[in-house]
Amino acid sequence: MIQTIIPLRDLSNKTSQVVEQCERSGEPIFVTRNGYGALVVMSMEAYQTRMAQLDLYQHLLAAEKELADDKLVPAEKVFDSINEMLENAKVQD
């Protein structure tokens, strides 16, 4: 992954070009102010993908913690619970 770094003035002068580059590459663009990192610009698609990945990683970490803490529920018990909920929903209809 090649990182693109641009000064803030380029962002304000070339907004549409920056948007096109973000969409085309799918990678973020790092914006600096006075030589220091100030912003990260990315396409909405790239943002949503990264947020979905973060959500998945958080769920995996929680599952690993449950595994380490020995708090797992056997699959059979989970499926029994789901079946019971479905049967209760049918009775209420």
Side-chain angles (χ1 to χ4, degrees):
M1 173 178 92
I2 298 173
Q3 291 184 348
T4 301
I5 302 171
I6 62 171
L8 187 59
R9 71 178 172 277
D10 283 3
L11 181 62
S12 59
N13 295 336
K14 303 173 185 177
T15 305
S16 62
Q17 290 172 337
V18 170
V19 170
E20 288 173 14
Q21 184 175 350
C22 284
E23 291 174 341
R24 186 175 53 253
S25 71
E27 296 296 330
I29 294 177
F30 300 90
V31 182
T32 60
R33 179 175 33 184
N34 299 325
Y36 296 95
L39 301 170
V40 176
V41 180
M42 64 176 62
S43 70
M44 186 61 72
E45 183 179 345
Y47 174 78
Q48 290 171 337
T49 298
R50 289 176 194 254
M51 293 308 293
Q53 289 172 334
L54 178 60
D55 186 53
L56 175 62
Y57 295 151
Q58 289 174 334
H59 281 89
L60 289 172
L61 284 173
E64 286 178 353
K65 183 171 179 357
E66 287 181 5
L67 180 62
D69 293 346
D70 217 17
K71 293 183 179 179
L72 295 179
V73 177
E76 184 177 297
K77 187 173 180 180
V78 171
F79 288 121
D80 288 344
S81 175
I82 291 170
N83 287 329
E84 184 179 324
M85 288 172 41
L86 291 172
E87 297 217 4
N88 288 339
K90 288 179 187 176
V91 171
Q92 293 178 1
D93 288 339

